[in-house]
């Protein structure tokens, strides 16, 4: 998986070198990925339509051989071979897209970690970092939310791996920052290189956190709205509303809406079965229908806006492609039906 992540990271950064904006780079990257996967989408849709066509025959076989499972499996296999239907054809795009989705999440996190460390170095040196924004999002490496500050919080900083810190420390472009940081935190580089993955969070808590909070610019960007210092207690988590919040919850809302739309246009893409095949499990069908939109909102609300943007754009493109593919096959089926009707009339 790391090799796929590195490949995607390099690809995105190559686009960024031309576009000079990570937001639009992610949009272009997502479009290219969906175009590459289009043949699989077409094949999947073709398989789903064939499955819907033979479903009545499969249901008839289930009734006829309800008491003979071996015979039922044999007859179903014969029918599928006759119709040239592969049960895996509808699952193939999902099987391929899932590793891409996970790798994309890791790629966005890897790029975000690098950018966040640079921002931390800038703050510690007494400078104000220049954030990578996109449209309404002020910092694409933070969540698009009222509940996320434009500056990285301490918990996010603690989650950054040690190798990212060391790479930043050795980055010649940051050498001026490091000299200024060492004037404020003596032995900063030595302590950092002596740290390991287990005690790095403690080093950040004891050394970097108080140094960051002593920087007025950082402290200002982490201030909460008056009266919201205690946050909103939701039992499972506490939400804080920041004065300099990072976004307006637009991407999480679009993620849920686009996922719901995709579920309606292409229910099989989210693991739902055709209605005829789902008769015995209506509750499961309803659960899957609403689970994915809710999950989409949650994952984009808790991820940086870069990944949320990928999720939303991917959903919208996939939905548009599914709709177009459906129209194509509907038109093709109508033409075939008209041709058969015409031939039947001529024969009579």
């Amino acid at each position: 998986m790391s090799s796929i992540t590195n490949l995607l990271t390099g690809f995105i950064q190559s686009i960024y070198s031309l576009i000079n904006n990570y937001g639009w780079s992610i949009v272009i990257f997502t479009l290219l990925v969906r175009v590459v996967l289009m043949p699989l989408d077409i094949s999947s849709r073709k398989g789903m339509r064939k499955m819907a066509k033979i479903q009545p025959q499969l249901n008839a076989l289930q009734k006829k051989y309800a008491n003979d499972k071996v015979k039922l499996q044999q007859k179903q296999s014969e029918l599928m071979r006759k119709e040239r239907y592969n049960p895996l054809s509808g699952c193939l795009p999902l099987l391929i897209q899932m590793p891409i989705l996970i790798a994309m999440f890791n790629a966005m996190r890897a790029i975000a970690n690098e950018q966040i460390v640079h921002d931390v170095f800038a703050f510690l040196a007494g400078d104000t970092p220049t954030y990578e924004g996109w449209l309404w999002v002020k910092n694409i490496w933070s969540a698009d939310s009222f509940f996320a500050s434009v500056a990285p919080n301490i918990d996010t900083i603690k989650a950054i791996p040690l190798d990212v810190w060391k790479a930043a420390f050795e980055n010649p472009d940051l050498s001026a920052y490091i000299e200024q940081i060492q004037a404020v935190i003596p032995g900063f580089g030595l302590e950092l290189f002596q740290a390991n993955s287990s005690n790095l969070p403690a080093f950040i808590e004891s050394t970097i956190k108080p140094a960051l909070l002593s920087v007025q610019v950082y402290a200002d960007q982490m201030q909460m709205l008056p009266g919201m210092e205690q946050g909103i207690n939701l039992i499972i988590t506490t939400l804080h509303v920041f004065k300099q919040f990072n976004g307006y919850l637009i991407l999480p809302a679009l993620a849920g809406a686009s996922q719901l739309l995709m579920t309606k246009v292409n229910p099989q893409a989210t693991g739902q079965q055709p209605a005829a095949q789902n008769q015995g499990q209506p509750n499961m069908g309803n659960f899957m229908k609403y689970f994915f939109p809710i999950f989409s909102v949650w994952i984009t609300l808790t991820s940086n806006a870069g990944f949320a943007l990928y999720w939303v754009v991917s959903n919208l493109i996939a939905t548009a492609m599914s709709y177009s593919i459906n129209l194509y096959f509907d038109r093709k089926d109508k033409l075939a039906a008209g041709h058969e009707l015409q031939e039947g009339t001529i024969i009579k």
Side-chain angles (χ1 to χ4, degrees):
M1 184 62 68
S2 60
S3 59
I4 300 177
T5 299
N6 292 337
L7 178 64
L8 297 184
T9 302
F11 194 10
I12 294 169
Q13 289 177 332
S14 296
I15 299 174
Y16 175 78
S17 66
L18 300 174
I19 304 300
N20 202 32
N21 181 276
Y22 272 113
W24 292 116
S25 298
I26 292 168
V27 172
I28 294 172
F29 169 83
T30 309
L31 178 61
L32 292 175
V33 169
R34 297 308 313 188
V35 169
V36 170
L37 294 177
M38 184 184 293
L40 290 176
D41 289 334
I42 295 174
S43 176
S44 173
R45 174 55 57 183
K46 187 176 181 180
M48 290 176 186
R49 294 175 73 91
K50 184 167 287 187
M51 179 63 188
K53 182 179 178 181
I54 67 174
Q55 189 62 52
Q57 299 177 65
L58 290 173
N59 291 341
L61 290 175
Q62 287 176 349
K63 290 181 181 179
K64 184 175 181 179
Y65 300 103
N67 299 322
D68 191 344
K69 300 300 182 184
V70 175
K71 192 71 172 179
L72 173 60
Q73 187 174 4
Q74 178 186 344
K75 291 295 182 180
Q76 286 179 332
S77 298
E78 291 176 358
L79 176 61
M80 290 181 184
R81 282 198 301 269
K82 178 184 176 182
E83 297 293 336
R84 297 180 180 179
Y85 172 71
N86 183 358
L88 294 178
S89 61
C91 302
L92 187 58
L94 277 178
L95 295 176
I96 293 178
Q97 290 176 45
M98 189 56 66
I100 294 177
L101 181 65
I102 296 173
M104 189 64 184
F105 177 82
N106 291 333
M108 290 293 95
R109 185 169 56 182
I111 299 173
N113 285 342
E114 181 180 336
Q115 298 298 318
I116 289 170
V117 170
H118 289 192
D119 293 343
V120 170
F121 278 28
F123 278 124
L124 292 176
D127 198 1
T128 303
T130 301
Y131 297 116
E132 182 76 34
W134 182 78
L135 297 183
W136 64 87
V137 179
K138 301 170 187 175
N139 182 1
I140 201 167
W141 308 122
S142 183
D144 175 16
S145 171
F146 299 107
F147 313 118
S149 63
V150 64
N153 61 45
I154 299 300
D155 289 336
T156 300
I157 296 171
K158 285 181 180 179
I160 298 174
L162 181 59
D163 62 324
V164 180
W165 290 97
K166 290 182 176 180
F169 191 87
E170 295 172 343
N171 187 341
D173 294 336
L174 300 177
S175 57
Y177 280 156
I178 292 170
E179 291 178 4
Q180 297 176 52
I181 294 171
Q182 290 176 329
V184 179
I185 310 176
F188 172 73
L190 180 62
E191 291 184 62
L192 183 61
F193 276 85
Q194 287 179 341
N196 54 52
S197 298
S198 61
N199 62 26
L200 178 62
F203 168 70
I204 292 172
E205 182 72 27
S206 63
T207 304
I208 294 182
K209 179 180 178 180
L212 277 174
L213 293 176
S214 68
V215 177
Q216 190 61 46
V217 176
Y218 181 80
D220 290 343
Q221 293 187 4
M222 295 303 294
Q223 280 188 358
M224 300 172 195
L225 286 178
M228 294 295 300
E229 289 79 8
Q230 300 302 317
I232 304 172
N233 189 352
L234 298 181
I235 301 178
I236 59 174
T237 187
T238 301
L239 300 178
H240 298 92
V241 181
F242 293 86
K243 276 187 177 181
Q244 296 193 41
F245 54 82
N246 192 52
Y248 300 94
L249 292 170
I250 295 176
L251 286 176
L254 287 177
S258 62
Q259 191 73 44
L260 186 61
L261 180 62
M262 186 167 67
T263 301
K264 290 182 177 296
V265 172
N266 186 14
Q268 290 88 344
T270 56
Q272 296 185 65
Q273 299 296 328
Q277 198 175 350
N278 197 41
Q279 290 175 351
Q281 298 178 317
N283 293 333
M284 179 58 69
N286 289 332
F287 171 78
M288 298 302 288
K289 178 180 179 181
Y290 294 106
F291 168 77
F292 282 101
I294 294 173
F295 176 75
S296 295
V297 173
W298 177 80
I299 195 68
T300 53
L301 191 60
T302 56
S303 303
N304 62 62
F307 179 74
L309 180 59
Y310 168 79
W311 189 290
V312 169
V313 174
S314 182
N315 279 354
L316 292 175
I317 295 174
T319 301
M321 284 184 173
S322 292
Y323 182 75
S324 301
I325 292 170
N326 283 341
L327 287 180
Y328 168 75
F329 280 117
D330 286 343
R331 189 176 297 111
K332 190 175 180 180
D333 289 346
K334 287 180 180 179
L335 290 174
H339 184 67
E340 290 176 0
L341 180 61
Q342 185 178 10
E343 285 187 345
T345 303
I346 293 174
I347 292 174
K348 289 180 180 179

